[in-house]
Amino acid sequence: MTTAVEFLRITDLHAFYGESHILHGVDLSVNRGEVVTLLGRNGAGRTTTLKSILGLVGHRSGSIMINGREAIGLPPHKIAHLGIGYCPEERGIFSSLSCEENLLLPPVVASTGLSVDEIYDMFPNLKERRMSQGTRLSGGEQQMLAVARILRTGAQLLLLDEISEGLAPVIVQALGRTIRMLREKGYTIVMVEQNFRFAAPLADRFYVMEHGRIVEAFSAGEMRSKMGMLHEFLGI
Amino acid sequence: MEIFGVPIQAFLGQLLLGLVNGSFYAMLSLGLAVIFGLLNIINFSHGALYMMGAYVAFLALDLLGLGFWWSLALAPLIVGGFGIIIERLLMRWIYKLDHLYGLLLTFGLALIIEGVYRYFFGVSGQPYPVPDALRGATDLGFMILPNYRAFVVLASLIVCLGTWYVIERTRLGAYLRAGTENPQLVQAFGVNVPLMVTLTFGFGVALAAIGGVLAAPVIQINPLMGSNIIIVVFAVVVIGGMGSILGSILTGLGLGVIEGLAKVYYAEASSTVVFVIMAIVLMVRPAGLFGKEK
Amino acid sequence: MNNKTAVGFVLLVLLGLVAPYTGAYPIFLMKALCFALFACAFNLLLGFTGLLSFGHAAFFGTAGYAAAYSIKAWGFAPELGILFAVTTAALLGWAIGSLAIRRQGIYFAMITLAMAQMIYFICLQAKFTGAEDGLQGVPRGKLFGYFNLEDDIAMYYMVFANFMIGFLLIYRTVHSPFGQVLKAIRENEARALSLGYDVDKHKLLAFVISAALAGMAGATKTIVLGFETLTDVNWPQSGEVVLMTLIGGIGTMFGPVVGGFFIVTLENELADKVGSWVQVIMGAIFVICVLAFRRGIVGELTALFGRKKDVAV
Amino acid sequence: AQTAKAGAISGDKVIIGVMNDMAGLYSDIGGPGSVEAARMAVQDFGGKVLGKPIEILSADHQNKPDVGATKAREWYDTEGVDMIVDVPTSSVAISVGKVAAEKKRVFIDTGGATKALTNEECNPYMVHYAYDTYALANGTGKAIVQQGGKTWFFITADYAFGKALEADTAAVVKANGGEVKGVVRHPLNASDFSSFMLQAQASKAQIVGLANAGGDTINSVKAANEFGLTKNQSLAGLLLFITDIHSLGLKTAQGMMLTSAWYWDANDETRKFSRRFFEKIKRMPTFDQAAVYSAVTTYLKAIKAVGTDDADKVMADLKKTKINDMFAKNGYIRQDGRMMHDMYLMQVKTPQESKYPWDYYKLKATIPAEQAFQSLALSTCPMIKK
Amino acid sequence: MDDYILETKSLTKEFKGFVAVSDVNLKVKRGEIHALIGPNGAGKTTFFNLLTKFLIPTAGHIFYNGHDITYDKPAEIARRGIIRSFQISAVFPHLTVLENVRIGLQRKLGTSFHFWKSEKTLGQLDAKVMELLESVDLTAYASAVTVELPYGRKRALEIATTLAMEPELMLLDEPTAGMGHEDVDRVTSLIKKVSANRTILMVEHNMNVVAGISDTITVLARGSVIAGGPYAQVSKDPQVMEAYMGTAEGELEGAH
Ligand SMILES: Nc1ncnc2c1ncn2[C@@H]1O[C@H](COP(=O)(O)OP(=O)(O)OP(=O)(O)O)[C@@H](O)[C@H]1O
Ligand SMILES: Nc1ncnc2c1ncn2[C@@H]1O[C@H](COP(=O)(O)OP(=O)(O)OP(=O)(O)O)[C@@H](O)[C@H]1O
Ligand SMILES: [Mg+2]
Ligand SMILES: [Mg+2]
């Protein structure tokens, strides 16, 4: 086993939307090459955690170290250049851009990204609808595009929010394969997932959130022993 | 040969003159569209900024002795710079609010700018000569076209098409279009959106300023020149629909021409014709000629 | 009507009844009441339907002309003149409204502005308006053939009565089944549509009511002052009513009243004090309100006295 | 305190209110300059009349009749203002006139152009002092036809004011043997006049009459120059102030004909006044501002003559005394309130002819008062018994 | 014998040469829960949009209770009793929960244009509102402002509002998308509960839900119907497995 290199460390993160205090001191860390999943109920604050990493919330405090750099004071566009790719919950496909323009939009932040051809091989639907206006794609196609888009940029840390939502089983399986492949390529991934059955076999470690706090952390190996707790928190 | 009782020569002449006016509409509505795109603000002060452009030309000549060409280069920079200051100082605070507040803020701004200019320059207007190089007129056979007017059409076409190309065909344009829809996400991808917003506002304002400089030699420079034109430009924008850049350019030119023809056939109605067309377009195509339903 | 609204309401009525005996200038009071009603009518649209009309001067002014003309040329009694004017404004509201509601948000604002500008041009060119001279010397006449309105006090109470009628009608409209649907439309138009509501017709009705009441304000003002001119149909007047509502408090019941009085007073006071700076000051108020004072006077006050933000006073 | 005894001054002060447009369209014609002119008049009068102080108030009516009328009421009622002067913008002038009649106080309008003030809207307390649309149209039309400008084309602002100017001018042109070749009516604030210039050019009329005002006139002149119209045709401005010429510049405006009520550079008296005025305002006075000076002086003289500021007595004196000052020679105020004085047909100098700043006009003809203004026979003023 | 509430005949939708829905003949039996499934981009949402008039069909017809409704307007459709729920939750955020449902009931009163009446006249509806809230387990929240509700509750509220319209036919587009397991279960049983006396047509990717409550399933792929019938039958169809699952082994169970 190689020694784990810490890629992301969040300490005592508080986040606010306007006056509402959403995150109350989140601590978590992710090592290079790991896949980590955040679990929790609707509204637990998982999306907010991802957004806070990128500085997309109203106000935040605490510490966010990305690859050894403190990101808490940086504006979002600088944080992205530390090597982060973000796939938002609501997909964020641009309607005034074609499918392909959407795909090519995010600036490349490192040279290690996938090529457009590789991406099209992975998602044949997108190739077919390449010239279509972004939001004319079906819900699922948009979801694929949102994931595909950040694979091109070479970002090493991927923040994926509910990527399996609204996808046909066949695509969900394909996504699972993609994640595994990305992990093999050394990408670091933080996923937020509602779909535990999708996330369970993929992740190395899990965090469980509740009311803006991390309430549990365990590794894939400990999963069996934690089922009772998961059932209590998530009704799984 | 006559067209509806007007000799064809005169008809062509009027068509051409309409195009000149259309150039101003096009340039102003383009500026509005660019700003609206990224900031989601209808810039009510656009007319006032257009007026400022004309005043820069006047002052450059009056105080510094700098001629038209200098002004054409300076005005967009100065007024655009002013726009950037406004954006940084005022606009940023209202992006998260309902878009109507943007309209109200810029309306107030227009009142202030206009009021200040009235105070310092009075209302009776300032003279501005046609630049020497463009003096005189060319006999086109069917009409005598002042060279300066021809220049206005050409210059505004170049500016407009240049803008169109950048926005619709380049990567920078793609950022702009994407930023229009979801600025947060574009920023999360690593694009410096606040800077982009500021510069875009500055650019839209600069377009207005260029319009002002171009207008200076042909119409009276006075503090009210902006508010006279801005409402018509709003109508142009409604007719064209703010959806497309090319749309605002074409609508601007087209309405200039229609208005020009109205001046020949029924001059009394030439200032209402744009509004009538707006009403008709709204009945047939609520989203405007080039607009997309949201 | 909740308790605090009721208190405010009683206060308003009392103030209104005793105002002419406080030494305040009667013409000024009447004028201010007319503008307050105008702002309330406008607020029905902006505050309670979420539609920003930038052309409300069209209704205010057109009704003014209708009243002035019918009274002066046809010898209508004041009440008939007002009725005629309100009808005219409502019809115009229906015509402009049908076009404007085809678009939303900023477009709506621009369309109303442009249509109002067209009305301005028509008023400028038409014969019966007297163009830039205006329609002057409109007699106040006798209300119901009995009350001589030449008497300022009688006139005042008629204006106040008009104001109260308008104000109560707006209150009723906001708190009616119709008002509920308007609120729903403002919140989520697509959902209201899918629940089977004809959204456009509801918006149009709100628009027409607002136009009619703006017309009532305009007609009353004409009778008070005895003339109607282009100023009232021109776009700065549309801007002014927005400012009144904004500064008083958008979406509050009493805000526009306060705003109306505030601006009319300001305009009057500034007239012989600051000379050419009036416009700049108005502009600055706009900017300040938008940046730092969005709830307006009444909104801020209610917030100060610890009410919930969402309460429409 | 309304009915003052002979020898009494109401409120122990004479208060004069200068009301006009301080920042809008007409602010350069009157505006702060009028206030200054009124002050100069008071100063020249010695600051006191019948031993009582004279005070000047000023207000900006913002071109809004309701602001003007409300202010006027307040002035007359609560501030004790005895006379209001200036008031440009026809609608405001008429409504202030109504207030004056109701309150029975003096109102001398110098800034308004509408001839309605001495016709259907006339009243016993109102004087129309400087000019009106009839005088402008009539003076210019007649004088030009007499000088050989027989064929006319009108560019008219399409509303009552423009149409009245056009109609009055056309009538006098025809009466003097001229011909109207055509008319084009443009909407207010048309901004681009090139298209109308083409039509004017095509008409081949000798004179192109501009029956519009302010920015419309200026933009017309600019377009006329650009299209070379002035090579073969002459422009006649029916309502032009010296400030308009200033803003056009002589290069553009040269050769135009126009009628003016007064010119600063006419004689030593006018020059003396104007130089003093220029010291303060940095502009030469317009005829409106000169008229304000004259009107205030005339009013104060009348008070002195009758020994009271009682409006009825003052008005009676005003209507029988001749006015002789730097503004008017042998002027008098007619029954309908019209102040009768000579008008002047001017031609704008070429840049070569102009020797010093503001040296803009040369006198082409003096139009005697009786010819310049509408005759009483034509007046629709109800006070005139026919 | 079979009573069909909704029937489409050769329904087709083309977008600039791309056929999203192609010649679909679908029959929905009265009183059933009918699920529409299929891979992403199959045309399910487009099909829904055609039914509710958000899109105009290129060809084909739609019959509802025997009437041709192909060219009706959206509001007319709603008045006929076809109500659709949105994929993104559609509530009136700043109204209370009670008012939300009442808006749904209010239309039938016929007073929606009555600006001269007091809103107190709406009080007569409150009993009915509470009944509806009861049925979706929201009574406790009646006076809460809607924005403050948790996600799953908002969906429940939306269903209550929809029920207030007394729809004969409810169209649900991915009703459980983005929900946690608890909420999924809550909403599933809710759908089952309200399906009494009415017909439900829903699009859903969660196979547990589909398997649990639907009576009939239609599978769409590339715009065409490839299979239809009860769950047991459809889930064994190799073509469906191929198109939907990606693997032909095993039973159709879904990734959830
Ligand atoms: N823009 C916002 N403004 C105010 N509050 C917000 C905003 N976005 C989210 N919240 C609140 O923050 C809390 C956490 O939301 P978050 O989106 O992080 O939850 P989540 O765990 O991702 O759940 P979900 O499964 O619903 O996506 C919720 O209570 C939500 O209502
Ligand atoms: N307005 C449109 N213009 C062009 N193509 C469209 C339009 N709307 C949908 N499409 C295309 O039609 C196809 C079907 O889309 P639809 O949204 O109906 O799929 P769906 O079955 O709902 O898929 P999902 O399960 O992913 O939501 C997609 O390929 C989409 O790209
Ligand atoms: Mg989330
Ligand atoms: Mg779909």
Side-chain angles (χ1 to χ4, degrees):
Chain A
M1 254 186 107
T2 52
T3 47
V5 184
E6 195 169 79
F7 198 77
L8 171 72
R9 162 164 289 283
I10 297 177
T11 358
D12 195 28
L13 178 66
H14 289 257
F16 303 79
Y17 288 111
E19 284 171 13
S20 42
H21 192 170
I22 307 292
L23 297 186
H24 304 262
V26 170
D27 296 290
L28 62 81
S29 72
V30 182
N31 293 333
R32 186 180 290 282
E34 252 189 333
V35 175
V36 167
T37 300
L38 298 183
L39 301 170
R41 288 202 173 90
N42 288 117
R46 297 163 302 154
T47 299
T48 309
T49 306
L50 296 194
K51 284 188 166 182
S52 302
I53 296 173
L54 281 160
L56 299 177
V57 292
H59 171 73
R60 62 201 168 127
S61 68
S63 160
I64 300 171
M65 301 294 293
I66 299 168
N67 209 1
R69 299 250 329 251
E70 178 57 74
I72 199 89
L74 295 179
H77 57 273
K78 294 235 171 91
I79 299 176
H81 282 283
L82 297 177
I84 300 188
Y86 175 49
C87 174
E89 189 171 29
E90 68 289 343
R91 298 168 189 152
I93 300 303
F94 300 102
S95 72
S96 53
L97 273 58
S98 69
C99 173
E100 190 157 277
E101 276 180 309
N102 264 289
L103 188 61
L104 298 180
L105 183 81
V108 170
V109 295
S111 55
T112 47
L114 300 185
S115 73
V116 176
D117 287 336
E118 282 175 285
I119 288 173
Y120 279 150
D121 285 345
M122 206 179 289
F123 303 106
N125 279 38
L126 296 184
K127 186 166 190 180
E128 192 184 338
R129 311 289 302 139
R130 184 164 79 226
M131 288 307 155
S132 208
Q133 190 189 324
T135 44
R136 294 262 161 93
L137 298 179
S138 84
E141 287 164 346
Q142 291 186 27
Q143 187 66 68
M144 298 175 213
L145 178 55
V147 175
R149 184 161 67 173
I150 52 170
L151 298 180
R152 221 195 91 252
T153 66
Q156 285 301 299
L157 173 59
L158 306 183
L159 309 178
L160 309 178
D161 200 345
E162 311 262 12
I163 52 168
S164 74
E165 183 188 325
L167 292 184
V170 59
I171 309 288
V172 174
Q173 286 170 7
L175 267 182
R177 285 195 295 276
T178 310
I179 302 257
R180 274 195 202 99
M181 180 205 73
L182 290 172
R183 198 178 89 184
E184 271 150 34
K185 290 196 173 188
Y187 282 82
T188 310
I189 296 174
V190 179
M191 290 198 298
V192 164
E193 263 306 328
Q194 202 68 260
N195 186 347
F196 183 68
R197 257 167 258 179
F198 169 66
L202 297 176
D204 299 307
R205 284 190 305 120
F206 299 86
Y207 284 96
V208 182
M209 288 192 79
E210 181 79 6
H211 299 311
R213 292 187 177 80
I214 302 282
V215 292
E216 270 285 344
F218 57 91
S219 68
E222 301 169 278
M223 190 146 76
R224 261 182 208 294
S225 61
K226 296 285 179 180
M227 282 317 284
M229 179 274 306
L230 284 179
H231 185 76
E232 182 188 324
F233 272 111
L234 307 171
I236 295 167
Chain B
M1 199 177 132
E2 294 194 343
I3 296 178
F4 304 124
V6 174
I8 185 135
Q9 269 95 349
F11 184 85
L12 286 176
Q14 300 289 4
L15 218 61
L16 209 58
L17 289 178
L19 215 55
V20 178
N21 276 325
S23 317
F24 289 113
Y25 292 159
M27 211 151 20
L28 288 178
S29 67
L30 178 62
L32 277 180
V34 168
I35 292 175
F36 177 75
L38 203 53
L39 286 75
N40 254 317
I41 281 177
I42 283 287
N43 182 18
F44 213 121
S45 62
H46 214 64
L49 295 163
Y50 157 83
M51 177 269 287
M52 275 177 84
Y55 269 92
V56 168
F58 163 71
L59 291 175
L61 185 66
D62 201 49
L63 301 179
L64 307 174
L66 296 177
F68 180 80
W69 303 106
W70 274 104
S71 299
L72 207 52
L74 279 178
L77 291 180
I78 295 174
V79 182
F82 177 73
I84 285 176
I85 294 172
I86 291 182
E87 197 277 336
R88 289 266 146 155
L89 242 44
L90 305 175
M91 304 289 190
R92 358 202 79 182
W93 305 106
I94 58 166
Y95 292 144
K96 292 202 190 92
L97 308 175
D98 192 308
H99 306 161
L100 297 178
Y101 284 109
L103 190 68
L104 298 181
L105 179 75
T106 49
F107 178 73
L109 216 55
L111 291 182
I112 296 177
I113 297 173
E114 211 182 273
V116 168
Y117 272 73
R118 278 181 184 197
Y119 182 80
F120 285 107
F121 299 103
V123 288
S124 39
Q126 311 295 345
Y128 197 85
V130 171
D132 288 330
L134 297 170
R135 245 168 225 293
T138 309
D139 194 340
L140 298 180
F142 57 88
M143 78 174 294
I144 312 253
L145 180 69
N147 293 342
Y148 183 74
R149 302 244 168 191
F151 166 77
V152 167
V153 178
L154 206 70
S156 75
L157 273 183
I158 291 173
V159 171
C160 288
L161 292 180
T163 309
W164 170 79
Y165 182 82
V166 169
I167 293 184
E168 295 291 340
R169 291 284 180 273
T170 66
R171 193 165 178 76
L172 177 66
Y175 288 153
L176 279 173
R177 278 175 288 145
T180 299
E181 287 181 48
N182 189 344
Q184 274 216 330
L185 184 57
V186 174
Q187 192 171 11
F189 286 155
V191 178
N192 189 345
V193 174
L195 182 67
M196 203 165 84
V197 167
T198 306
L199 293 180
T200 305
F201 189 76
F203 178 72
V205 167
L207 283 178
I210 295 177
V213 177
L214 288 178
V218 285
I219 72 172
Q220 185 201 26
I221 304 176
N222 79 29
L224 305 174
M225 64 193 278
S227 50
N228 289 342
I229 197 169
I230 192 71
I231 297 178
V232 180
V233 173
F234 278 179
V236 171
V237 164
V238 173
I239 294 170
M242 210 104 69
S244 93
I245 298 293
L246 208 54
S248 25
I249 301 172
L250 291 179
T251 321
L253 291 175
L255 285 169
V257 168
I258 292 177
E259 200 185 74
L261 293 181
K263 282 178 177 159
V264 187
Y265 291 108
Y266 191 59
E268 287 88 337
S270 56
S271 62
T272 35
V273 68
V274 172
F275 303 124
V276 174
I277 291 177
M278 182 187 83
I280 295 170
V281 168
L282 279 172
M283 280 188 274
V284 186
R285 266 190 75 104
L289 296 178
F290 299 89
K292 306 175 195 100
E293 279 293 358
K294 32 139 221 137
Chain C
M1 213 181 273
N2 66 31
N3 275 343
K4 288 195 180 134
T5 315
V7 169
F9 185 76
V10 170
L11 224 63
L12 182 71
V13 174
L14 285 180
L15 259 180
L17 288 177
V18 303
Y21 302 101
T22 57
Y25 204 68
I27 296 269
F28 168 78
L29 279 179
M30 295 188 245
K31 192 177 135 188
L33 273 178
C34 292
F35 277 106
L37 177 57
F38 183 25
C40 288
F42 170 79
N43 188 40
L44 173 63
L45 215 50
L46 176 59
F48 298 105
T49 320
L51 297 172
L52 171 60
S53 157
F54 232 106
H56 248 46
F59 313 117
F60 186 71
T62 306
Y65 278 119
Y69 195 78
S70 63
I71 292 174
K72 199 178 169 192
W74 302 333
F76 274 25
E79 66 277 7
L80 270 183
I82 291 181
L83 199 65
F84 174 68
V86 170
T87 316
T88 312
L91 285 175
L92 187 66
W94 178 79
I96 292 182
S98 323
L99 282 175
I101 53 165
R102 287 162 177 264
R103 301 299 304 272
Q104 273 116 26
I106 295 171
Y107 284 101
F108 180 89
M110 290 197 290
I111 293 166
T112 44
L113 176 62
M115 295 307 289
Q117 191 63 4
M118 184 162 129
I119 299 293
Y120 167 77
F121 277 118
I122 291 172
C123 287
L124 177 71
Q125 291 176 333
K127 280 221 166 50
F128 68 91
T129 59
E132 81 286 9
D133 287 0
L135 270 174
Q136 303 266 356
V138 180
R140 285 185 183 175
K142 287 191 170 164
L143 184 65
F144 305 122
Y146 184 73
F147 300 102
N148 187 358
L149 296 180
E150 294 299 334
D151 174 31
D152 274 350
I153 297 290
M155 185 72 222
Y156 172 81
Y157 283 110
M158 161 166 146
V159 174
F160 184 60
N162 273 355
F163 169 78
M164 284 315 297
I165 293 172
F167 186 81
L168 287 176
L169 189 68
I170 289 168
Y171 181 85
R172 171 45 68 238
T173 305
V174 170
H175 298 277
S176 72
F178 175 64
Q180 276 287 316
V181 180
L182 285 186
K183 212 163 150 191
I185 290 173
R186 191 182 51 178
E187 293 270 307
N188 190 339
E189 189 167 329
R191 180 61 171 161
L193 194 68
S194 77
L195 289 178
Y197 288 103
D198 191 332
V199 167
D200 280 357
K201 281 205 182 117
H202 284 84
K203 284 189 187 168
L204 184 57
L205 178 60
F207 196 92
V208 170
I209 296 175
S210 171
L213 289 175
M216 179 148 117
T220 313
K221 194 199 109 178
T222 298
I223 296 177
V224 170
L225 295 175
F227 56 77
E228 176 59 24
T229 62
L230 288 171
T231 323
D232 286 345
V233 277
N234 208 354
W235 66 269
Q237 184 71 72
S238 298
E240 212 171 272
V241 75
V242 181
L243 183 55
M244 288 172 184
T245 311
L246 182 64
I247 197 169
I250 295 172
T252 63
M253 212 66 215
F254 296 107
V257 183
V258 174
F261 270 81
F262 185 86
I263 295 296
V264 173
T265 311
L266 194 71
E267 197 178 68
N268 202 51
E269 289 303 308
L270 293 182
D272 40 12
K273 297 201 178 64
V274 296
S276 41
W277 290 101
V278 180
Q279 191 183 356
V280 178
I281 292 172
M282 296 278 178
I285 296 179
F286 249 109
V287 171
I288 292 167
C289 278
V290 171
L291 288 181
F293 200 58
R294 274 184 295 279
R295 286 188 286 209
I297 297 172
V298 170
E300 293 290 343
L301 282 180
T302 36
L304 202 68
F305 289 113
R307 292 235 216 136
K308 281 195 225 128
K309 285 180 291 225
D310 53 332
V311 172
V313 188
Chain D
Q2 286 257 349
T3 47
K5 281 181 258 116
I9 294 288
S10 61
D12 273 341
K13 269 196 282 199
V14 170
I15 306 179
I16 293 170
V18 183
M19 182 191 290
N20 59 26
D21 173 12
M22 295 281 178
L25 225 41
Y26 308 108
S27 52
D28 286 346
I29 298 164
S34 287
V35 182
E36 189 50 44
R39 288 220 178 87
M40 288 167 68
V42 172
Q43 194 186 2
D44 293 352
F45 202 80
K48 287 191 171 181
V49 61
L50 302 174
K52 308 286 183 198
I54 308 163
E55 212 175 277
I56 302 276
L57 294 183
S58 68
D60 180 3
H61 62 46
Q62 303 155 38
N63 295 322
K64 294 179 180 174
D66 54 332
V67 173
T70 321
K71 200 81 231 171
R73 262 172 220 276
E74 199 184 308
W75 270 359
Y76 285 142
D77 274 351
T78 57
E79 307 272 345
V81 167
D82 296 289
M83 186 270 265
I84 292 178
V85 69
D86 202 357
V87 196
T89 315
S90 304
S91 54
V92 189
I94 296 172
S95 40
V96 170
K98 299 259 180 221
V99 176
E102 187 189 325
K103 305 287 172 193
K104 301 201 180 358
R105 297 290 182 86
V106 182
F107 167 40
I108 304 183
D109 188 277
T110 56
T114 180
K115 63 180 181 180
L117 291 176
T118 53
N119 282 288
E120 62 273 21
E121 306 290 354
C122 76
N123 74 57
Y125 298 92
M126 180 162 64
V127 175
H128 198 193
Y129 206 85
Y131 71 117
D132 62 22
T133 50
Y134 183 91
L136 296 174
N138 199 48
T140 315
K142 190 183 231 166
I144 291 179
V145 178
Q146 279 167 357
Q147 303 206 347
K150 296 279 183 205
T151 54
W152 285 63
F153 183 91
F154 286 102
I155 293 179
T156 305
D158 184 38
Y159 61 106
F161 158 80
K163 286 190 224 164
L165 269 183
E166 177 207 311
D168 288 344
T169 314
V172 73
V173 164
K174 284 181 202 141
N176 287 278
E179 183 195 350
V180 176
K181 292 228 159 185
V183 176
V184 59
R185 302 229 167 93
H186 67 81
L188 184 65
N189 292 332
S191 87
D192 178 60
F193 284 78
S194 46
S195 158
F196 309 126
M197 290 308 145
L198 286 191
Q199 297 176 44
Q201 241 165 356
S203 78
K204 305 221 158 45
Q206 289 166 290
I207 307 291
V208 176
L210 305 177
N212 47 24
D216 281 344
T217 311
I218 290 180
N219 286 330
S220 307
V221 177
K222 277 193 149 186
N225 262 278
E226 212 191 331
F227 282 79
L229 180 127
T230 41
K231 287 200 192 91
N232 310 312
Q233 295 163 293
S234 296
L235 289 177
L238 297 179
L239 176 53
L240 267 182
F241 290 89
I242 197 161
T243 44
D244 296 328
I245 304 301
H246 187 67
S247 96
L248 274 168
L250 289 185
K251 212 167 172 182
T252 317
Q254 57 181 302
M256 287 189 74
M257 309 274 240
L258 57 100
T259 297
S260 184
W262 180 85
Y263 178 47
W264 74 271
D265 202 12
N267 55 48
D268 287 342
E269 228 183 329
T270 57
R271 273 189 288 273
K272 195 169 140 241
F273 167 74
S274 305
R275 296 248 151 81
R276 275 173 63 208
F277 183 91
F278 190 88
E279 289 295 294
K280 304 219 165 85
I281 303 288
K282 303 292 169 235
R283 279 168 177 266
M284 283 302 172
T286 61
F287 68 68
D288 175 30
Q289 288 154 346
V292 168
Y293 177 90
S294 170
V296 171
T297 312
T298 307
Y299 174 72
L300 293 173
K301 280 183 187 160
I303 293 184
K304 197 170 171 189
V306 296
T308 172
D309 63 356
D310 176 79
D312 293 297
K313 301 210 171 85
V314 170
M315 282 307 300
D317 185 75
L318 281 176
K319 287 196 176 167
K320 65 174 196 247
T321 315
K322 287 264 180 217
I323 298 165
N324 270 302
D325 58 15
M326 63 93 194
F327 180 75
K329 292 284 166 274
N330 286 320
Y332 63 94
I333 296 169
R334 217 164 52 178
Q335 274 319 304
D336 58 353
R338 175 74 257 158
M339 139 71 153
M340 303 289 288
H341 60 87
D342 296 346
M343 298 284 283
Y344 309 95
L345 181 71
M346 300 290 193
Q347 183 165 35
V348 178
K349 290 186 171 174
T350 62
Q352 294 75 36
E353 288 169 318
S354 173
K355 298 283 178 282
Y356 39 88
W358 294 87
D359 178 18
Y360 290 161
Y361 293 166
K362 54 189 177 213
L363 180 68
K364 296 290 277 189
T366 299
I367 310 160
E370 304 299 331
Q371 282 181 32
F373 291 97
Q374 187 187 40
S375 77
L376 266 189
L378 294 176
S379 175
T380 56
C381 172
M383 294 191 301
I384 307 301
K385 309 222 166 40
K386 288 182 192 159
Chain E
M1 182 65 231
D2 278 344
D3 179 14
Y4 294 113
I5 185 167
L6 184 80
E7 208 177 332
T8 65
K9 293 215 170 113
S10 311
L11 201 60
T12 300
K13 180 67 192 177
E14 239 185 87
F15 296 110
K16 293 193 189 128
F18 177 83
V19 187
V21 171
S22 145
D23 195 25
V24 170
N25 295 296
L26 182 86
K27 291 178 173 177
V28 179
K29 227 183 268 176
R30 190 181 303 281
E32 282 198 335
I33 297 180
H34 192 132
L36 196 58
I37 65 170
N40 298 106
K44 303 179 296 289
T45 301
T46 308
F47 184 74
F48 258 42
N49 284 338
L50 290 172
L51 292 184
T52 48
K53 303 297 153 209
F54 282 78
L55 288 173
I56 314 260
T58 317
H61 287 273
I62 307 168
F63 292 92
Y64 179 67
N65 280 330
H67 301 282
D68 186 342
I69 59 163
T70 319
Y71 300 105
D72 282 11
K73 295 212 176 66
E76 280 172 67
I77 294 285
R79 265 173 253 140
R80 283 183 189 276
I82 306 181
I83 309 287
R84 167 191 193 165
S85 82
F86 283 81
Q87 209 161 336
I88 320 130
S89 77
V91 289
F92 302 112
H94 294 284
L95 300 188
T96 64
V97 168
L98 183 128
E99 283 172 327
N100 256 280
V101 179
R102 204 165 63 183
I103 289 287
L105 284 174
Q106 195 185 329
R107 194 172 56 80
K108 292 217 195 56
L109 230 47
T111 61
S112 76
F113 285 107
H114 291 195
F115 59 85
W116 56 87
K117 283 212 178 106
S118 165
E119 63 190 343
K120 296 214 178 74
T121 57
L122 297 176
Q124 51 178 298
L125 299 173
D126 288 358
K128 178 89 209 264
V129 172
M130 292 314 286
E131 206 176 290
L132 283 165
L133 288 181
E134 173 82 57
S135 73
V136 297
D137 215 9
L138 277 178
T139 350
Y141 294 91
S143 54
V145 178
T146 310
V147 253
E148 289 162 9
L149 290 192
Y151 186 70
R153 300 280 182 186
K154 277 187 198 150
R155 296 308 293 248
L157 171 60
E158 194 194 326
I159 290 173
T161 312
T162 310
L163 288 177
M165 309 293 299
E166 291 177 12
E168 261 190 292
L169 173 63
M170 272 173 89
L171 305 178
L172 308 176
D173 195 353
E174 302 196 30
T176 67
M179 284 188 186
H181 290 264
E182 286 171 326
D183 285 332
V184 169
D185 293 344
R186 178 200 307 284
V187 170
T188 312
S189 53
L190 193 60
I191 294 173
K192 184 74 198 161
K193 188 163 161 194
V194 304
S195 69
N197 309 323
R198 52 178 59 87
T199 313
I200 291 176
L201 177 62
M202 67 173 183
V203 171
E204 183 56 68
H205 280 300
N206 188 330
M207 280 307 113
N208 291 331
V209 177
V210 173
I213 57 174
S214 52
D215 301 302
T216 308
I217 296 173
T218 298
V219 187
L220 224 56
R222 300 194 155 261
S224 311
V225 176
I226 55 166
Y231 180 75
Q233 176 193 331
V234 170
S235 59
K236 296 206 176 62
D237 188 322
Q239 216 189 334
V240 174
M241 291 192 202
E242 159 87 41
Y244 199 55
M245 286 287 297
T247 51
E249 308 116 40
E251 201 165 297
L252 182 60
E253 59 171 19
H256 282 265

